[in-house]
Coordinates of all heavy atoms in Angstrom, one line a residue:
M710 N 0.8 -1.2 0.0 CA 0.0 0.0 0.0 C 0.9 1.2 0.0 O 1.9 1.3 0.6 CB -0.9 0.0 1.2 CG -1.9 1.1 1.3 SD -3.1 0.8 2.5 CE -3.9 2.3 2.5
R711 N 0.5 2.2 -0.7 CA 1.2 3.5 -0.8 C 1.2 4.3 0.4 O 0.2 4.4 1.1 CB 0.6 4.2 -2.0 CG 1.5 5.4 -2.4 CD 0.9 6.0 -3.6 NE -0.4 6.7 -3.3 CZ -1.1 7.3 -4.2 NH1 -0.8 7.4 -5.4 NH2 -2.2 7.9 -3.8
N712 N 2.3 4.9 0.8 CA 2.4 5.7 2.0 C 1.7 7.1 1.6 O 2.1 7.8 0.7 CB 3.8 6.0 2.4 CG 4.0 6.7 3.6 OD1 3.0 7.1 4.3 ND2 5.2 7.0 4.0
L713 N 0.7 7.4 2.4 CA 0.0 8.7 2.2 C 0.5 9.8 3.0 O 0.0 11.0 2.9 CB -1.5 8.5 2.5 CG -2.2 7.4 1.6 CD1 -3.7 7.3 2.1 CD2 -2.2 7.8 0.2
G714 N 1.5 9.6 3.8 CA 2.1 10.6 4.6 C 1.2 11.1 5.8 O 1.2 12.2 6.2
L715 N 0.3 10.2 6.3 CA -0.6 10.5 7.4 C 0.1 10.1 8.7 O 0.7 9.1 8.8 CB -1.9 9.8 7.2 CG -2.8 10.1 6.0 CD1 -4.0 9.2 6.0 CD2 -3.2 11.5 6.1
T716 N 0.0 11.0 9.7 CA 0.5 10.7 11.0 C -0.6 10.0 11.8 O -1.8 9.9 11.3 CB 0.9 12.0 11.7 OG1 -0.3 12.8 11.9 CG2 1.9 12.8 10.9
W717 N -0.3 9.5 13.0 CA -1.3 8.9 13.8 C -2.4 9.8 14.2 O -3.6 9.5 14.3 CB -0.7 8.2 15.0 CG -0.1 9.2 16.0 CD1 1.2 9.6 16.0 CD2 -0.7 9.8 17.1 NE1 1.4 10.5 17.0 CE2 0.2 10.6 17.7 CE3 -2.0 9.7 17.6 CZ2 -0.1 11.4 18.8 CZ3 -2.3 10.4 18.7 CH2 -1.4 11.3 19.3
L718 N -2.0 11.1 14.4 CA -3.0 12.1 14.7 C -4.0 12.4 13.6 O -5.2 12.5 13.9 CB -2.3 13.4 15.1 CG -3.2 14.5 15.7 CD1 -3.8 14.0 17.0 CD2 -2.3 15.8 16.0
D719 N -3.5 12.3 12.4 CA -4.4 12.4 11.2 C -5.4 11.3 11.2 O -6.6 11.4 10.9 CB -3.6 12.5 9.9 CG -2.8 13.7 9.8 OD1 -3.1 14.8 10.4 OD2 -1.7 13.6 9.1
L720 N -4.9 10.1 11.5 CA -5.8 8.9 11.5 C -6.8 9.0 12.6 O -8.0 8.6 12.4 CB -4.9 7.6 11.6 CG -4.0 7.4 10.4 CD1 -3.2 6.1 10.6 CD2 -4.9 7.2 9.1
V721 N -6.4 9.5 13.7 CA -7.4 9.6 14.8 C -8.5 10.6 14.4 O -9.7 10.4 14.6 CB -6.7 10.0 16.1 CG1 -7.7 10.4 17.2 CG2 -5.8 8.9 16.6
A722 N -8.1 11.7 13.9 CA -9.0 12.8 13.4 C -9.9 12.2 12.4 O -11.1 12.5 12.4 CB -8.3 14.0 12.9
L723 N -9.4 11.4 11.5 CA -10.2 10.8 10.4 C -11.2 9.8 11.0 O -12.4 9.8 10.6 CB -9.3 10.1 9.4 CG -10.1 9.4 8.2 CD1 -10.8 10.5 7.4 CD2 -9.1 8.7 7.4
G724 N -10.8 9.1 12.0 CA -11.7 8.1 12.7 C -12.8 8.9 13.4 O -14.0 8.5 13.3
W725 N -12.5 10.0 14.1 CA -13.6 10.7 14.8 C -14.5 11.3 13.8 O -15.7 11.4 14.0 CB -13.0 11.8 15.6 CG -12.5 11.3 16.9 CD1 -11.2 11.1 17.3 CD2 -13.3 11.0 18.1 NE1 -11.1 10.6 18.6 CE2 -12.4 10.6 19.1 CE3 -14.6 11.0 18.3 CZ2 -12.9 10.1 20.3 CZ3 -15.1 10.6 19.5 CH2 -14.2 10.1 20.5
F726 N -14.0 11.8 12.6 CA -14.9 12.4 11.6 C -15.8 11.4 11.0 O -17.0 11.6 10.9 CB -14.0 13.0 10.5 CG -14.9 13.5 9.3 CD1 -15.7 14.6 9.4 CD2 -14.9 12.7 8.2 CE1 -16.5 15.0 8.4 CE2 -15.7 13.1 7.1 CZ -16.5 14.3 7.2
L727 N -15.3 10.2 10.7 CA -16.1 9.1 10.2 C -17.2 8.7 11.2 O -18.4 8.4 10.8 CB -15.3 8.0 9.7 CG -14.4 8.2 8.5 CD1 -13.5 7.0 8.2 CD2 -15.2 8.6 7.3
A728 N -16.9 8.6 12.4 CA -17.9 8.2 13.4 C -19.0 9.3 13.5 O -20.1 9.0 13.6 CB -17.2 8.0 14.8
W729 N -18.6 10.5 13.5 CA -19.5 11.6 13.5 C -20.4 11.6 12.3 O -21.6 11.7 12.4 CB -18.8 13.0 13.6 CG -19.7 14.1 13.4 CD1 -20.5 14.7 14.4 CD2 -19.9 14.9 12.2 NE1 -21.1 15.8 13.8 CE2 -20.8 15.9 12.5 CE3 -19.3 14.8 10.9 CZ2 -21.2 16.8 11.5 CZ3 -19.8 15.7 10.0 CH2 -20.7 16.7 10.3
W730 N -19.8 11.3 11.1 CA -20.6 11.3 9.9 C -21.6 10.2 9.9 O -22.8 10.4 9.4 CB -19.6 11.2 8.7 CG -20.3 11.3 7.4 CD1 -20.9 12.3 6.8 CD2 -20.4 10.2 6.5 NE1 -21.4 12.0 5.6 CE2 -21.1 10.7 5.4 CE3 -20.0 8.9 6.5 CZ2 -21.4 9.9 4.3 CZ3 -20.3 8.1 5.4 CH2 -21.0 8.6 4.3
V731 N -21.2 9.0 10.3 CA -22.1 7.9 10.4 C -23.3 8.2 11.3 O -24.4 7.9 11.0 CB -21.4 6.6 10.8 CG1 -22.4 5.5 11.1 CG2 -20.5 6.2 9.6
G732 N -23.0 8.8 12.5 CA -24.0 9.1 13.4 C -25.0 10.1 12.8 O -26.2 10.0 13.0
C733 N -24.5 11.1 12.1 CA -25.4 12.1 11.5 C -26.2 11.5 10.4 O -27.4 11.8 10.2 CB -24.6 13.3 10.9 SG -23.9 14.3 12.2
S734 N -25.6 10.6 9.7 CA -26.4 9.9 8.6 C -27.5 9.1 9.2 O -28.6 9.1 8.6 CB -25.5 9.0 7.8 OG -24.4 9.7 7.2
R735 N -27.3 8.4 10.3 CA -28.3 7.6 10.9 C -29.5 8.5 11.4 O -30.7 8.2 11.2 CB -27.8 6.8 12.0 CG -28.8 5.9 12.7 CD -28.2 5.0 13.8 NE -27.4 5.8 14.7 CZ -26.2 5.5 15.0 NH1 -25.6 4.5 14.5 NH2 -25.5 6.2 15.9
R736 N -29.1 9.6 12.0 CA -30.2 10.5 12.5 C -30.9 11.1 11.3 O -32.2 11.2 11.4 CB -29.5 11.6 13.3 CG -29.1 11.2 14.6 CD -28.5 12.3 15.4 NE -27.4 11.8 16.3 CZ -26.1 11.9 16.1 NH1 -25.7 12.7 15.1 NH2 -25.3 11.4 16.9
A737 N -30.3 11.4 10.2 CA -30.9 12.0 9.1 C -31.9 11.0 8.4 O -33.0 11.4 8.0 CB -29.9 12.4 8.0
Y738 N -31.5 9.7 8.5 CA -32.4 8.7 7.9 C -33.7 8.6 8.7 O -34.8 8.6 8.1 CB -31.7 7.3 7.9 CG -32.5 6.2 7.5 CD1 -32.8 6.0 6.2 CD2 -33.0 5.3 8.5 CE1 -33.6 4.9 5.8 CE2 -33.8 4.2 8.1 CZ -34.1 4.0 6.7 OH -34.8 3.0 6.4
Y739 N -33.6 8.6 10.0 CA -34.8 8.5 10.8 C -35.7 9.7 10.7 O -36.9 9.6 10.6 CB -34.5 8.3 12.3 CG -34.1 6.9 12.6 CD1 -32.8 6.5 12.9 CD2 -35.1 5.9 12.6 CE1 -32.4 5.3 13.2 CE2 -34.7 4.6 12.9 CZ -33.4 4.3 13.2 OH -33.1 3.0 13.5
F740 N -35.1 10.9 10.6 CA -35.9 12.1 10.5 C -36.4 12.3 9.1 O -37.5 12.9 8.9 CB -35.2 13.3 11.0 CG -35.0 13.3 12.5 CD1 -33.8 13.3 13.1 CD2 -36.2 13.4 13.3 CE1 -33.7 13.3 14.5 CE2 -36.1 13.4 14.6 CZ -34.8 13.4 15.2
A741 N -35.8 11.7 8.1 CA -36.3 11.8 6.7 C -37.5 10.9 6.6 O -38.5 11.3 5.9 CB -35.2 11.3 5.7
L742 N -37.5 9.7 7.3 CA -38.7 8.9 7.3 C -39.9 9.6 7.9 O -41.0 9.6 7.5 CB -38.4 7.6 8.0 CG -37.5 6.6 7.3 CD1 -37.3 5.4 8.2 CD2 -38.1 6.2 6.0
A743 N -39.6 10.3 9.0 CA -40.6 11.1 9.7 C -41.2 12.2 8.8 O -42.4 12.5 8.8 CB -40.1 11.6 11.0
T744 N -40.3 12.9 8.1 CA -40.7 14.0 7.2 C -41.5 13.5 6.1 O -42.4 14.2 5.6 CB -39.4 14.7 6.7 OG1 -38.6 15.1 7.8 CG2 -39.8 15.9 5.9
M745 N -41.3 12.3 5.6 CA -42.1 11.8 4.5 C -43.5 11.6 4.9 O -44.4 11.7 4.1 CB -41.4 10.5 4.0 CG -40.2 10.7 3.2 SD -39.3 9.3 2.6 CE -40.4 7.9 2.7
T746 N -43.8 11.3 6.2 CA -45.1 11.1 6.6 C -45.9 12.4 6.7 O -47.1 12.4 6.8 CB -45.2 10.4 8.0 OG1 -44.5 11.3 8.9 CG2 -44.5 9.1 8.0
W747 N -45.2 13.5 6.5 CA -45.9 14.8 6.5 C -46.9 14.9 5.4 O -47.9 15.6 5.4 CB -44.8 15.9 6.5 CG -45.3 17.3 6.8 CD1 -46.6 17.7 7.1 CD2 -44.5 18.4 7.0 NE1 -46.6 19.0 7.4 CE2 -45.3 19.5 7.3 CE3 -43.2 18.7 6.8 CZ2 -44.9 20.8 7.5 CZ3 -42.7 20.0 7.0 CH2 -43.5 21.0 7.4
F748 N -46.5 14.3 4.3 CA -47.4 14.3 3.1 C -48.7 13.6 3.4 O -49.7 13.8 2.7 CB -46.7 13.7 1.9 CG -45.6 14.5 1.4 CD1 -44.3 14.0 1.6 CD2 -45.8 15.7 0.8 CE1 -43.2 14.8 1.1 CE2 -44.7 16.5 0.3 CZ -43.4 16.0 0.5
L749 N -48.7 12.7 4.3 CA -49.9 11.9 4.6 C -50.8 12.6 5.7 O -52.0 12.8 5.5 CB -49.6 10.5 5.2 CG -48.8 9.7 4.2 CD1 -48.4 8.4 4.8 CD2 -49.6 9.4 2.9
N750 N -50.2 13.0 6.8 CA -50.9 13.6 7.9 C -50.0 14.3 8.8 O -48.9 13.8 9.1 CB -51.7 12.5 8.6 CG -52.7 13.1 9.6 OD1 -52.6 14.2 10.0 ND2 -53.6 12.2 10.0
G751 N -50.4 15.5 9.3 CA -49.5 16.2 10.3 C -49.3 15.5 11.6 O -48.3 15.5 12.2
W752 N -50.4 14.9 12.1 CA -50.3 14.2 13.3 C -49.4 12.9 13.2 O -48.7 12.6 14.1 CB -51.7 13.7 13.8 CG -52.5 14.9 14.3 CD1 -53.5 15.5 13.6 CD2 -52.4 15.6 15.5 NE1 -54.0 16.5 14.3 CE2 -53.3 16.6 15.5 CE3 -51.5 15.5 16.6 CZ2 -53.5 17.5 16.5 CZ3 -51.6 16.4 17.6 CH2 -52.6 17.4 17.6
L753 N -49.5 12.3 12.0 CA -48.6 11.1 11.8 C -47.1 11.6 11.8 O -46.3 10.9 12.3 CB -49.0 10.5 10.5 CG -48.3 9.2 10.1 CD1 -48.5 8.1 11.2 CD2 -48.7 8.7 8.8
C754 N -46.9 12.7 11.2 CA -45.5 13.3 11.2 C -45.0 13.5 12.6 O -43.9 13.2 12.9 CB -45.5 14.6 10.4 SG -43.8 15.3 10.3
M755 N -45.9 14.1 13.4 CA -45.5 14.4 14.8 C -45.2 13.1 15.6 O -44.3 13.0 16.4 CB -46.5 15.2 15.5 CG -46.5 16.7 15.1 SD -47.6 17.6 16.1 CE -49.2 17.4 15.3
G756 N -46.1 12.1 15.3 CA -45.9 10.8 16.0 C -44.6 10.1 15.6 O -43.9 9.5 16.4
T757 N -44.3 10.1 14.2 CA -43.1 9.4 13.8 C -41.9 10.2 14.2 O -40.8 9.6 14.5 CB -43.1 9.2 12.3 OG1 -43.4 10.4 11.6 CG2 -44.2 8.2 11.9
T758 N -42.0 11.5 14.3 CA -40.8 12.3 14.7 C -40.5 12.0 16.2 O -39.4 11.7 16.6 CB -41.1 13.8 14.6 OG1 -41.3 14.0 13.2 CG2 -39.9 14.6 15.0
T759 N -41.6 11.9 17.0 CA -41.4 11.6 18.4 C -40.9 10.2 18.6 O -39.9 9.9 19.4 CB -42.7 11.7 19.2 OG1 -43.2 13.1 18.9 CG2 -42.6 11.5 20.6
S760 N -41.4 9.2 17.8 CA -40.9 7.9 18.0 C -39.4 7.8 17.5 O -38.6 7.0 18.0 CB -41.8 6.9 17.2 OG -41.7 7.1 15.8
G761 N -39.1 8.5 16.5 CA -37.7 8.6 16.0 C -36.8 9.1 17.0 O -35.6 8.6 17.2
V762 N -37.2 10.1 17.8 CA -36.4 10.7 18.9 C -36.2 9.6 19.9 O -35.1 9.5 20.5 CB -37.0 12.0 19.4 CG1 -36.4 12.4 20.7 CG2 -36.9 13.1 18.4
F763 N -37.2 8.9 20.3 CA -37.1 7.9 21.3 C -36.2 6.7 20.9 O -35.4 6.2 21.7 CB -38.5 7.3 21.7 CG -39.2 8.3 22.6 CD1 -40.5 8.7 22.3 CD2 -38.7 8.7 23.8 CE1 -41.2 9.6 23.1 CE2 -39.4 9.5 24.7 CZ -40.6 10.0 24.3
V764 N -36.3 6.3 19.6 CA -35.5 5.2 19.1 C -34.0 5.7 19.1 O -33.1 4.9 19.6 CB -35.9 4.8 17.7 CG1 -34.9 3.9 17.0 CG2 -37.2 4.1 17.8
L765 N -33.7 6.9 18.6 CA -32.4 7.4 18.6 C -31.8 7.5 20.0 O -30.6 7.2 20.3 CB -32.3 8.7 17.8 CG -32.4 8.5 16.3 CD1 -32.6 9.9 15.7 CD2 -31.3 7.8 15.7
H766 N -32.6 8.0 20.9 CA -32.2 8.2 22.3 C -31.8 6.8 22.9 O -30.8 6.7 23.5 CB -33.3 8.8 23.2 CG -32.9 9.0 24.6 ND1 -33.1 8.0 25.5 CD2 -32.4 10.0 25.3 CE1 -32.7 8.4 26.7 NE2 -32.2 9.6 26.6
W767 N -32.7 5.8 22.7 CA -32.4 4.5 23.2 C -31.1 3.9 22.6 O -30.3 3.4 23.3 CB -33.5 3.6 23.0 CG -33.3 2.2 23.6 CD1 -33.5 1.9 24.9 CD2 -32.8 1.1 23.0 NE1 -33.1 0.6 25.1 CE2 -32.7 0.1 23.9 CE3 -32.5 0.8 21.7 CZ2 -32.3 -1.2 23.6 CZ3 -32.0 -0.5 21.4 CH2 -31.9 -1.5 22.4
R768 N -31.0 4.0 21.2 CA -29.8 3.4 20.6 C -28.5 4.1 20.9 O -27.5 3.5 21.0 CB -30.0 3.5 19.1 CG -31.0 2.5 18.6 CD -31.0 2.4 17.1 NE -31.8 1.3 16.7 CZ -31.8 0.8 15.5 NH1 -31.1 1.3 14.6 NH2 -32.6 -0.2 15.2
E769 N -28.6 5.4 21.2 CA -27.3 6.2 21.4 C -27.0 6.2 22.9 O -25.8 6.4 23.2 CB -27.4 7.6 20.8 CG -27.4 7.6 19.3 CD -27.4 8.9 18.7 OE1 -27.2 9.9 19.5 OE2 -27.6 9.0 17.5
L770 N -27.9 6.2 23.8 CA -27.7 6.4 25.2 C -28.1 5.2 26.1 O -27.6 5.2 27.3 CB -28.4 7.7 25.7 CG -28.0 8.9 24.9 CD1 -28.8 10.1 25.4 CD2 -26.5 9.2 25.1
R771 N -28.9 4.4 25.7 CA -29.5 3.3 26.6 C -29.3 1.9 26.2 O -29.8 1.0 26.8 CB -31.0 3.6 26.9 CG -31.3 4.9 27.4 CD -31.0 5.0 28.9 NE -31.4 6.3 29.4 CZ -30.7 7.0 30.3 NH1 -29.5 6.5 30.7 NH2 -31.1 8.2 30.7
S772 N -28.7 1.7 25.1 CA -28.7 0.3 24.5 C -27.7 -0.6 25.3 O -26.8 -0.2 25.9 CB -28.2 0.3 23.1 OG -26.8 0.7 23.0
P773 N -28.0 -1.9 25.3 CA -27.1 -2.8 26.0 C -25.7 -2.9 25.4 O -24.8 -3.1 26.1 CB -27.8 -4.2 25.8 CG -29.3 -3.9 25.5 CD -29.2 -2.5 24.8
A774 N -25.6 -2.6 24.1 CA -24.3 -2.6 23.5 C -23.5 -1.5 24.1 O -22.3 -1.7 24.3 CB -24.5 -2.4 22.0
L775 N -24.1 -0.3 24.3 CA -23.3 0.8 24.9 C -22.9 0.5 26.3 O -21.8 0.8 26.7 CB -24.1 2.1 24.8 CG -23.5 3.3 25.4 CD1 -22.2 3.7 24.6 CD2 -24.4 4.5 25.4
E776 N -23.8 -0.2 27.0 CA -23.5 -0.6 28.4 C -22.3 -1.5 28.4 O -21.4 -1.5 29.3 CB -24.7 -1.2 29.1 CG -25.7 -0.2 29.4 CD -25.3 0.9 30.4 OE1 -24.5 0.6 31.3 OE2 -25.6 2.1 30.1
S777 N -22.2 -2.5 27.5 CA -21.1 -3.4 27.5 C -19.8 -2.8 27.1 O -18.8 -3.2 27.5 CB -21.4 -4.6 26.5 OG -21.5 -4.1 25.2
I778 N -19.9 -1.7 26.3 CA -18.7 -0.9 26.0 C -18.2 -0.1 27.2 O -17.0 -0.1 27.5 CB -18.9 0.0 24.8 CG1 -19.1 -0.8 23.5 CG2 -17.8 1.0 24.6 CD1 -19.6 0.0 22.3
K779 N -19.2 0.5 27.9 CA -18.8 1.2 29.1 C -18.3 0.4 30.2 O -17.3 0.7 30.9 CB -20.0 2.0 29.6 CG -20.5 3.2 28.8 CD -21.7 3.8 29.5 CE -22.2 5.0 28.8 NZ -23.4 5.5 29.4
R780 N -18.9 -0.8 30.4 CA -18.5 -1.7 31.5 C -18.3 -3.1 31.0 O -19.2 -3.9 31.0 CB -19.6 -1.7 32.6 CG -19.7 -0.4 33.3 CD -20.7 -0.4 34.4 NE -22.0 -0.5 33.8 CZ -23.1 -1.0 34.3 NH1 -23.0 -1.7 35.4 NH2 -24.2 -1.0 33.7
P781 N -17.1 -3.4 30.5 CA -16.9 -4.8 29.9 C -17.0 -5.9 31.0 O -17.3 -7.0 30.6 CB -15.5 -4.7 29.3 CG -14.9 -3.4 29.7 CD -16.0 -2.6 30.3
Q782 N -16.8 -5.6 32.2 CA -17.0 -6.6 33.2 C -18.4 -7.0 33.5 O -18.7 -8.0 34.1 CB -16.3 -6.1 34.6 CG -17.1 -5.0 35.3 CD -16.7 -3.7 34.8 OE1 -16.0 -3.5 33.8 NE2 -17.1 -2.6 35.6
A783 N -19.4 -6.2 32.9 CA -20.8 -6.6 33.1 C -21.2 -7.7 32.1 O -22.3 -8.2 32.3 CB -21.6 -5.3 32.9
L784 N -20.4 -8.0 31.2 CA -20.7 -9.1 30.3 C -20.6 -10.5 30.9 O -19.7 -10.7 31.7 CB -19.8 -9.1 29.1 CG -19.9 -7.9 28.1 CD1 -18.8 -8.0 27.0 CD2 -21.3 -7.9 27.5
P785 N -21.6 -11.3 30.7 CA -21.5 -12.7 31.3 C -20.4 -13.5 30.6 O -20.3 -13.4 29.4 CB -22.9 -13.2 31.0 CG -23.4 -12.5 29.8 CD -22.8 -11.1 29.9
I786 N -19.7 -14.2 31.4 CA -18.6 -15.0 30.9 C -19.2 -16.4 30.7 O -19.6 -17.0 31.7 CB -17.4 -15.0 31.8 CG1 -16.8 -13.6 31.9 CG2 -16.3 -16.0 31.3 CD1 -15.8 -13.4 32.9
P787 N -19.2 -17.0 29.5 CA -19.7 -18.3 29.3 C -18.8 -19.4 30.0 O -17.6 -19.2 30.0 CB -19.7 -18.5 27.8 CG -18.7 -17.5 27.3 CD -18.7 -16.4 28.3
P788 N -19.5 -20.4 30.5 CA -18.6 -21.4 31.2 C -17.8 -22.2 30.1 O -18.3 -22.4 29.0 CB -19.7 -22.4 31.8 CG -21.0 -22.1 31.1 CD -20.9 -20.7 30.6
S789 N -16.6 -22.6 30.5 CA -15.8 -23.4 29.6 C -16.1 -24.8 29.6 O -16.3 -25.4 30.6 CB -14.3 -23.2 30.0 OG -14.0 -21.9 30.3

């Protein structure tokens, strides 16, 4: 592979940017679905927007995957 002249700090910054971009893309997807329902009914749009907020809140702040990343010792160890 060709050397691009990137330092480790450049790679860390690139990683943070890509993580931010993926998170923004996921949020945009959920809110785009909610916005599409606006053509059907205003109340439906409000409902899907609210449910999208709850889903994103759960996935970003309350999911079991996030808890396992925060506290790896909380994972059950399977018997050998």
Side-chain angles (χ1 to χ4, degrees):
M710 184 167 172
R711 189 173 70 177
N712 184 3
L713 299 176
L715 297 174
T716 65
W717 66 271
L718 189 59
D719 294 332
L720 294 175
V721 169
L723 180 63
W725 278 104
F726 172 74
L727 290 176
W729 170 81
W730 183 70
V731 167
C733 288
S734 301
R735 181 177 52 234
R736 288 181 212 108
Y738 175 76
Y739 282 109
F740 288 117
L742 289 177
T744 304
M745 286 176 17
T746 61
W747 196 355
F748 292 109
L749 301 175
N750 189 342
W752 289 104
L753 184 61
C754 179
M755 286 188 273
T757 54
T758 301
T759 304
S760 64
V762 167
F763 284 122
V764 167
L765 287 171
H766 179 277
W767 184 81
R768 286 190 173 191
E769 292 184 10
L770 301 174
R771 303 282 183 223
S772 68
L775 181 63
E776 289 299 320
S777 67
I778 292 170
K779 285 182 181 176
R780 292 182 287 151
Q782 69 274 12
L784 291 175
I786 299 173
S789 314

